[in-house]
């Protein structure tokens, strides 16, 4: 009986740790997925929806559309990815999801400075990161309910 209790408490301790490798993979993987999604949208727009413009037109369109794609697709991407991956953290699911978002934040925000951001850009960054934070939190909460 004591051995069973010891085995169970060891499993609980292992399941209630944040797997940091998965945190980093989640943050980087979601960032890559967002970039790919933006590129796919621009390709769809330029070939199927509004073909025939010059390259400069599509480059300018990409500057406006890519942040919108990030906001719109960031919500379901972050929710479902965090719900799935944070199950590995047991009772620390919400913390794991928030750490994944924070890693994205510390990678993303300094990169914004390379593009000479305008007020509009900062507003989009604030909206995108706020919605991703909320989606990550809700995904972690959903995983936590599943772990209970």
């Amino acid at each position: 009986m004591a051995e069973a209790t010891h085995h169970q408490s060891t499993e609980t301790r292992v399941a209630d740790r944040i797997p940091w490798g998965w945190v980093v993979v989640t943050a980087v993987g979601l960032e890559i997925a967002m970039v790919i999604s933006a590129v796919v949208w621009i390709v769809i727009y330029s070939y199927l929806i509004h073909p025939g413009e010059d390259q400069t037109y599509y480059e300018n369109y990409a500057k406006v559309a890519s942040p919108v794609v990030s906001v719109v697709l960031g919500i379901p991407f972050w929710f479902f990815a965090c719900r799935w991956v944070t199950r590995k953290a047991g009772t620390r699911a919400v913390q794991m999801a928030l750490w994944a978002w924070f890693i994205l934040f510390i990678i993303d925000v300094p990169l914004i400075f390379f593009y000479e951001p305008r007020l509009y850009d900062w507003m989009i960054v604030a909206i995108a990161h706020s919605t991703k934070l909320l989606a990550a939190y809700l995904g972690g909460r959903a995983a936590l309910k599943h772990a209970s």
Side-chain angles (χ1 to χ4, degrees):
M1 174 101 163
E3 186 177 312
T5 304
H6 173 69
H7 180 68
Q8 182 181 9
S9 66
T10 303
E11 284 180 6
T12 302
R13 278 184 276 148
V14 170
D16 290 339
R17 291 189 356 223
I18 294 176
W20 290 102
W22 278 105
V23 171
V24 172
V25 167
T26 301
V28 172
L30 284 168
E31 184 71 352
I32 291 168
M34 296 309 306
V35 170
I36 291 170
S37 297
V39 169
V40 167
W41 172 250
I42 301 306
V43 168
I44 290 170
Y45 180 79
S46 64
Y47 285 100
L48 299 177
I49 297 173
H50 192 94
E53 298 290 341
D54 63 358
Q55 185 69 24
T56 306
Y57 175 86
Y58 296 115
E59 288 172 4
N60 290 332
Y61 178 76
K63 289 177 185 175
V64 174
S66 295
V68 175
V69 170
S70 178
V71 171
V72 171
L73 293 181
I75 295 167
F77 281 16
W78 273 85
F79 174 79
F80 290 113
C82 285
R83 186 181 73 174
W84 176 73
V85 79
T86 58
R87 290 179 182 176
K88 299 173 184 328
T91 60
R92 310 269 322 261
V94 173
Q95 291 92 339
M96 182 180 173
L98 296 178
W99 274 109
W101 172 84
F102 185 68
I103 288 171
L104 168 76
F105 183 79
I106 62 175
I107 291 170
D108 208 22
V109 170
L111 292 175
I112 300 298
F113 287 104
F114 289 116
Y115 297 105
E116 299 177 13
R118 301 165 300 174
L119 178 59
Y120 170 80
D121 300 323
W122 284 114
M123 288 177 15
I124 290 294
V125 167
I127 292 167
H129 280 287
S130 298
T131 56
K132 289 173 187 168
L133 175 62
L134 179 61
Y137 171 78
L138 294 174
R141 292 280 302 178
L144 187 60
K145 289 179 183 175
H146 186 278
S148 300

